[in-house]
Structures are given as C-alpha cells and as structure tokens.
Amino acid sequence: MSVVTTKMQGDIAVVTIDNPPVNAASQAVRQGLLDALRATEARQPAAVVLICAGRSFVAGADIREFDKPFLEPMLPELLNAIEAATRPWVAAIHGTALGGGCELALACSHRIGAPTAKIGLPEVNLGLIPGAGGTVRLPRLIDPIEAARLAVTGKPVSAAKALELGLFDRLAEGDLLAAAIALAKDAATQPRPEPLLTRAAPKVDRATWDAAMAKLTAKARGQDSPHEAAAALRDALDHDGVTALGLERARFMRLKASPQSAALRYIFFAERAVGKSPRTKDVPPRPLARIGVIGGGTMGAGIAASALLAGLGVQMVERDTDAASAGAARVEGILGGALNRGLISEAKHAAALARFDAASDYATLADADLVIEAVFEDMAVKKQVFAALEQACKPEAVLATNTSYLDVNEIAASVTDPSRVIGLHFFSPAHIMKLLEIVVPEAVADDVLATALHLAKTLRKLPVLAGVCDGFIANRIMSSYRREADYLLEDGALPHEVDAAMRAFGLPMGLFEMQDLAGLDIGWAARKRRAATRPASERYVDIADHICEAGHFGRKTGRGWYLYGPEGTPERNPDVEALIVAESARKGITRQSFTAEQIMTRILGCMQSEGAAILSEGIAASREDIDVTMVNAFGFPRWRGGPMFMQTA
Ligand code: T1G
Ligand code: NAD
C-alpha cells in the first residue's frame, strides 16, 4: 500500500501522505509524491490539496536515511517539480510541519494551517541547515529576518504567527480538509502566485542584518549550525534563487558529514531510545491520578508543581502545619511564575491549585496512587517516612524516593512489601529539568517500574533507568570528575582555570562555579557521610573542607571558591588561591601549569572511565543512557554527543 494516495473530491485532487509516526519524507514518501505529481499533471484537476494522515504534517526528512546513500527522488528536485506544477498545490497543515515538511509546504503555491499547527526549520538542532530550499524560498515569502529567526534558532512558530508572517495564507476554521479544498477552489480561479524560487530576493541593509544575526546566533556556544544557517540565508539574499539553492545544498552536504551533526543526530535518537525496559513490555502501569509528595522543600515543591502542571492531583505532606504552609507557598510560587510568564492560562492555573492540598497529616494520603518522598537526605528520616507511608497508603500505592545518594535497596527492605518501592531521582529545579533517573531496586515489581515510566511520560520527563549505586549515573560521574578537578587544584591549576576550560569545552558552567551556586555545604555533608567508608588508599583533597570549615558555602554566604559582590558575579578569591598553593606545598606537590586542553582531557577521561565502570556494573544498560544523562543533567554540549559518544567519534 503506497504511503501516498490520491483521490478526487469533485474537481480537486486530494493527495494524502500516510507514513506513521510523523510522516517523515522517506524515499517511499518522495516516490509517492512524485507519482502523485505526475498523475495530477496528466489529469489536470482544478487544483491539488496535499494533506497528511495521522497526527502531523511532514515532520521532516527521514533522519534515519542520513547515514545511508541518498536515494532518488531527492527532496530538492522533487520540491522544484511540485513548485513548477501547472495547477495550484495547497498544503493543508496540522500538527507540525518541520524541516523538509516546511520546505514541502513552501514548494506548494498556497498553505493553510489548523489553528494548533506549528511550522519551523529545526535542522540546526541536528547540526544541519535546511537542505531542500528552506533558506532560499522562506526569505522570498516572509520578512528575511523572520525567516532567519526560524532557520537559525530552529524554533517553530504557531499557526497564528505563521499567518501573521504570511507563511500561511489562511487558518482553517473547522475541518482542515474542507477548508483546504475551499482554498484550492479559490486558488484555481486566481492567477498563480509567482514561484518563490524565481522571485527576486528582498534587499536587507547589511548592518541591520549583521546585528540581527549576531543576536540570533548569540547562544550557539560552540555549535556551528546556527552560524551556518545565518550564512545560508545571506547567500539567499545575495544570489538568485537557483544559484542560492546550489549553495544551500553544498553547505547542507558539508554539514551532514560533520562531526557535530553526527553527534546531534546520535543524541536525538538516544533520547528516544532510553527509558525502555523489556520488563515492562505489555505490562500495564498502575493507576496514576493522584500522587503524594512528602516534603515541601526545594525538591518536593518542584515535584509537586511538575505533577500539577501535568494534570495530576497532588497531596503534599510536611512535618507540621507551618512547614506545610511553607511548602504550599513554594508550589503556589512556581505555578504563579508559570502563569505570569504566560506558560499556562488562568484556567489551567486555577485547576492546578484546585487539585493541590498541603497538610501534615499522613491520613490525607489514603487515596494516593503513588507517593514520592523528598525529605532530608538522611536514611533514618527516610525510613521513618516509609514506615508512616506503609501505614497511611493503600497497599497498591507505589512508594518512591527522591534520594540523591542513599541505597534504594535498603529503603525498599525497610517496608513489608519491597516490590512497591522505586527511586525517582529528579533534578533541581524539578519542574524544569527534563531528566528523571528511575532507580531500579532488586525487588521492584514490573508493574511498579511500568508505573514509574508512565509517570515520566505524564510529566513529559526524559527517563533513564539506573541501577542502585552511590549516585546512580549522573551524580556518580559528577563525583568522579569533581574529585579529578580537586586533584588538578593540588597539582597546579586554579579554580578559574578549570572553570574556563570547562566553559570553553561547551559546558554551561564550570564545576567550581556550579558548586558555589548549589552550596558547598551539600558536598561537604556528602564527603563527611562517606568518610568512614572512603578507602584509605584514595587520594583525598582537603581544600573544599577547609573552605567549609571557615563557614564559606559559596554564593549564599558571599564567598566560597569565588568571592561574590552585590551583583553576584564570581571574582577570584585570593584566600582560596593561597590555601590551594599551601595545600600543594603541605603535600609536597610541585605545582605545574595546565592548558585548557590538558584540563579537559583529565576531566573528560574521568567521565568516560566512570561511565565505563557504570556500564560494566550494569548500572546503565547502554552508552546512550550515560550520554543522555550527562547532556540533560549537566548540560554536556549536545553537539559533542556525550562523553561516551566522544570515545567512538
Ligand atoms: N525522521 C525519522 N524519524 C523521526 C523523525 C524524523 N525526522 N522525527 C521523529 N522521528 C521518530 C522518532 O525517532 C520516534 O521514533 C517517533 O518518530 C516519534 O518521535 C531536508 C534535512 C516531530 C516534534 O528535526 O522534533 O528535514 O522512538 O518521540 O515527542 O531540510 O519527533 O517511536 O521509534 O520525538 O511527539 C527535520 C525531528 C529533519 C524534527 C514529534 N525535522 N522530530 O515529537 O515524538 S532534517 C526535525 C521532532 C530535515 C530538510 C532537513 C519530534 C516531533 P520511535 P518523538 P514527539
Ligand atoms: P529540603 O531541605 O529543601 O527539603 C526537605 C523537606 O523535607 C523540608 O521541607 C522538611 O521540612 C521536610 N521533611 C523532613 N522530614 C519530614 C518528614 N518526616 N515528613 C515530612 N516532611 C519532612 O531538601 P531538598 O533539597 O528538597 O532535598 C530533598 C531530597 O531530595 C533529599 O533526599 C535530596 O538528596 C534530594 N535531592 C535534592 C536535590 C537538590 O538539588 N536539592 C536534587 C535531587 C535530589
């Protein structure tokens, strides 16, 4: 059965693409479109409507074809042929028209969108640029700087914005196909618009253009494709359409072969491969309507807000009514922030609050389907909470812990039925960070694991499955390269040199800046907790402990690794640098200088060796789990794929 079919509705030919899940423009789709074009050219209907079955218009070229030789018909040539069709072609867009899908729509003479449709050119997110005329046709249809915004940022626009820009001719009120056929009938009786490819490029003042591109590429942070997209748009303005098309194709093919695009395509598919387990195949999750959150602190409030924003009901329980009120205020603050930023409507905000309650009485958890504890990082406290939950909750309720480091098997063993216990390690801020480490204890039931994965999907989180160990995947690797960074200080580096090297590598922040931001007391408490079990043979650096012993915990106390003025920017801390030099001397270490590359070689090497250990111990099932974690927990640059990908690139 062809993935492209053509049916006549009166004198309008309706060409339908049906290639689940996202109607990617695979070779079969391209061939089907070419056949449909030939058939309609022969049949000469009044006009043609191009529409997609399923949930979306064409979401792009089929990325899975990129690592194989391209097969005819090639998309650029197909789109040129559609644009040259003798009858009007109307693209009827619902869902998302992205990349090649947007370019296909641009090759049509008219475009109509469902009110909820989105359209864009996200190729930069794959280290590419549009490769089938998007950078050439779009600036000939809409304001060139707006065209650049779509291609350089990769962010799609709404149907309303597309209409405002002139990218859509109409929005469909009611049935999309009927509205598209109406537009097609009108188009059939009007003069054909000049094909975009042959239109003269608009003139844009160079200084205005350069200033706009500088703003649009400001956040590229080492990634090439945004700059390449801006250059391709400039080519489109400086040359005729056909010449610009050739330049675009050459640039696209160069980028498709680039290491950054290979890395970005790897992480795109890796994020869709993780969070799957053979144990949950055909295993239905338990019901998930109302969840309990124990603790309304930093994490509890974020988790509660995340669940409320996803449409779940939330019962928060705190130590006492004052703490419950404080926790509720934190949740209301997060929801209020979402409302003020226009992320949610008044109605959604009110509905979320109506589903929320905070109390100090565990009896309020009687109808909770799943409860997450986010209380102090203290095993005794957590065991007390689980004992109380076992009394208060229905036996089928899933009991989860948000612990960062504690042994989830030990927590599970503290209740009568350990099969109902699982780890749900959110990252702060929990209502924003997408990554969710699902920590899988030995005794967990398959349907409890399925419920955790279902919760992740409901919260639109990115789940990675982790075995039980100290720090699971993210924090275990971070602890490893934090130790290495401390060794570098003793060996001769200074905090600002390590942080500069990490930023230059593409990380959003250096490790010492990050510790100052999170609070040095958190790591200090973890090191003291581990002191008793730390191998005597392990090299230990006391520098951070000395800083904490002096009461300096970073930004929140105004000094830590760095000094913080009233505006909060980190300045080098001479006392800390003197302490570092003294520690090297005390240990008889002759300090040496390190280049940024040498620093990153040691830090990256740590990430990779700890990742290898995590794989060999079965804590993570694949390198994708580790790379997805590092990219989404610590901002490891996506255009490098991840520490494990880098080993094989
Ligand atoms: N090609 C192949 N498979 C794709 C795909 C694509 N373009 N997009 C999605 N999939 C798969 C995905 O791997 C998953 O598979 C399933 O579809 C559902 O995706 C010539 C060169 C469209 C917003 O960059 O942004 O066109 O895991 O889980 O959350 O100039 O998918 O089920 O086996 O993400 O609802 C440009 C990429 C390509 C869009 C839907 N287009 N896709 O999100 O579902 S390059 C893109 C997305 C290009 C042209 C250039 C999202 C989505 P599986 P999903 P979702
Ligand atoms: P927090 O101190 O901000 O909040 C803990 C809350 O638990 C407090 O409000 C406290 O009143 C409450 N609490 C303590 N005992 C309680 C009890 N018996 N019943 C009900 N409430 C009780 O701590 P946090 O930063 O939100 O961390 C909570 C948990 O999440 C810890 O296990 C921590 O390791 C983990 N975690 C923290 C982060 C982070 O970045 N802060 C990230 C991931 C996981």
Side-chain angles (χ1 to χ4, degrees):
M1 154 83 158
S2 169
V3 290
V4 178
T5 53
T6 302
K7 286 194 177 66
M8 293 303 294
Q9 290 212 17
D11 58 357
I12 303 296
V14 177
V15 175
T16 303
I17 299 171
D18 187 4
N19 183 31
V22 295
N23 287 315
S26 63
Q27 190 280 335
V29 167
R30 299 194 301 274
Q31 186 58 55
L33 282 172
L34 184 58
D35 296 345
L37 174 65
R38 285 171 178 157
T40 50
E41 285 297 281
R43 184 183 188 120
Q44 285 296 299
V48 177
V49 167
L50 173 63
I51 195 164
C52 287
R55 60 180 180 170
S56 173
F57 194 75
V58 174
D62 188 333
I63 313 172
R64 295 181 198 280
E65 291 181 354
F66 285 3
D67 295 322
K68 306 166 197 162
F70 273 150
L71 298 173
E72 298 289 341
M74 308 285 273
L75 194 58
E77 289 67 30
L78 170 65
L79 301 192
N80 293 347
I82 290 174
E83 186 172 53
T86 54
R87 304 309 302 158
W89 274 58
V90 173
I93 296 164
H94 73 294
T96 51
L98 299 174
C102 175
E103 293 170 304
L104 174 57
L106 288 169
C108 295
S109 55
H110 298 76
R111 287 153 293 278
I112 182 169
T116 53
K118 289 188 176 177
I119 185 166
L121 293 169
E123 289 87 338
V124 288
N125 300 329
L126 298 170
L128 302 168
I129 63 164
T135 66
V136 181
R137 291 191 172 93
L138 191 58
R140 286 168 168 76
L141 178 66
I142 69 172
D143 173 278
I145 289 179
E146 290 306 319
R149 190 185 311 282
L150 267 81
V152 173
T153 68
K155 290 192 174 73
V157 294
S158 66
K161 184 68 177 174
L163 181 70
E164 179 196 316
L165 291 172
L167 183 45
F168 284 173
D169 299 291
R170 281 185 199 169
L171 292 189
E173 299 308 328
D175 179 68
L176 175 62
L177 179 57
I181 288 173
L183 174 56
K185 289 183 186 309
D186 293 345
T189 59
Q190 289 154 6
R192 291 289 305 281
E194 184 189 358
L196 293 172
L197 204 56
T198 55
R199 292 187 194 181
K203 297 287 172 240
V204 181
D205 165 62
R206 188 75 198 218
T208 307
W209 177 264
D210 291 347
M213 291 313 105
K215 271 192 195 160
L216 290 175
T217 57
K219 293 186 182 161
R221 255 210 321 252
Q223 188 173 328
D224 298 334
S225 51
H227 300 283
E228 294 278 0
L233 265 292
R234 187 71 237 177
D235 283 345
L237 300 180
D238 293 345
H239 299 82
D240 65 271
V242 173
T243 305
L245 212 51
L247 294 172
E248 176 197 73
R249 192 70 185 161
R251 190 184 297 272
F252 168 80
M253 293 305 286
R254 171 168 55 81
L255 289 173
K256 185 172 81 72
S258 70
Q260 285 198 5
S261 185
L264 285 161
R265 298 196 314 260
Y266 159 81
I267 201 71
F268 173 86
F269 286 115
E271 288 177 338
R272 287 155 179 81
V274 298
K276 295 184 169 96
S277 165
R279 291 178 56 177
T280 60
K281 191 166 167 21
D282 306 327
V283 174
R286 295 184 186 178
L288 256 192
R290 190 164 182 78
I291 71 163
V293 176
I294 314 302
T298 306
M299 295 310 288
I303 294 166
S306 179
L308 289 165
L309 290 167
L312 296 177
V314 174
Q315 176 62 54
M316 176 179 279
V317 171
E318 255 284 0
R319 284 181 291 177
D320 53 48
T321 48
D322 289 348
S325 304
R330 287 186 196 98
V331 174
E332 287 151 12
I334 293 171
L335 296 179
L339 176 66
N340 296 340
R341 284 197 299 279
L343 300 177
I344 56 173
S345 64
E346 289 278 357
K348 189 169 179 185
H349 176 255
L353 287 178
R355 292 192 301 271
F356 175 60
D357 181 55
S360 60
D361 179 358
Y362 276 65
T364 57
L365 297 165
D367 64 347
D369 299 307
L370 177 147
V371 181
I372 305 170
E373 67 77 18
V375 300
F376 298 139
E377 185 71 348
D378 177 299
M379 184 57 92
V381 174
K382 291 191 186 298
K383 285 180 176 177
Q384 281 165 3
V385 167
F386 270 79
L389 292 177
E390 200 168 25
Q391 297 307 314
C393 299
K394 54 192 179 186
E396 65 273 24
V398 172
L399 305 182
T401 172
N402 182 49
T403 183
S404 297
Y405 287 95
L406 299 177
D407 184 335
V408 183
N409 284 323
E410 183 178 341
I411 294 173
S414 72
V415 299
T416 311
D417 173 12
S419 76
R420 66 194 291 200
V421 175
I422 196 159
L424 292 177
H425 184 230
F426 290 81
F427 287 78
S428 182
H431 60 291
I432 290 174
M433 294 291 280
K434 282 177 66 73
L435 187 68
L436 175 61
E437 281 181 317
I438 296 180
V439 185
V440 185
E442 286 149 17
V444 73
D446 290 350
D447 70 334
V448 170
L449 178 55
T451 307
L453 287 167
H454 179 56
L455 176 68
K457 192 177 175 77
T458 305
L459 301 184
R460 292 189 70 75
K461 295 292 182 187
L462 189 52
V464 170
L465 300 178
V468 175
C469 71
D470 191 345
F472 320 131
I473 299 172
N475 286 344
R476 173 168 163 179
I477 292 178
M478 201 263 277
S479 296
S480 161
Y481 67 84
R482 190 194 53 72
R483 272 196 304 276
E484 188 64 23
D486 283 356
Y487 297 159
L488 277 161
L489 294 185
E490 266 191 355
D491 293 347
L494 291 174
H496 70 281
E497 293 169 333
V498 173
D499 285 353
M502 293 181 79
R503 280 180 180 274
F505 178 79
L507 287 153
M509 188 178 280
L511 196 66
F512 295 106
E513 274 181 83
M514 189 171 80
Q515 289 175 47
D516 269 358
L517 187 62
L520 300 184
D521 46 333
I522 294 177
W524 191 29
R527 291 193 299 276
K528 286 191 280 189
R529 189 179 63 247
R530 288 201 209 100
T533 56
R534 182 170 43 244
S537 59
E538 183 183 294
R539 178 180 177 184
Y540 186 74
V541 178
D542 306 281
I543 297 166
D545 296 347
H546 293 323
I547 297 173
C548 292
E549 283 150 11
H552 304 318
F553 295 144
R555 194 183 288 261
K556 61 187 174 186
T557 60
R559 57 193 303 155
W561 292 109
Y562 296 96
L563 298 175
Y564 294 90
E567 66 292 341
T569 48
E571 304 292 338
R572 291 175 61 175
N573 183 340
D575 296 342
V576 163
E577 294 185 11
L579 169 65
I580 291 167
V581 170
E583 277 296 292
S584 302
R586 184 175 71 83
K587 294 203 173 171
I589 296 170
T590 304
R591 290 180 65 78
Q592 57 182 300
S593 61
F594 293 98
T595 64
E597 190 185 0
Q598 288 169 326
I599 289 170
M600 277 318 297
T601 298
R602 281 181 57 171
I603 287 180
L604 187 59
C606 258
M607 293 177 181
Q608 292 165 338
S609 54
E610 199 64 36
I614 285 170
L615 284 173
S616 66
E617 294 167 27
I619 298 296
S622 67
R623 68 172 187 164
E624 283 81 357
D625 290 300
I626 295 172
D627 288 334
V628 166
T629 297
M630 293 304 289
V631 162
N632 287 282
F634 303 120
F636 192 97
R638 299 179 67 86
W639 49 268
R640 293 184 188 272
M644 309 314 282
F645 177 82
M646 285 188 74
Q647 274 190 315
T648 57

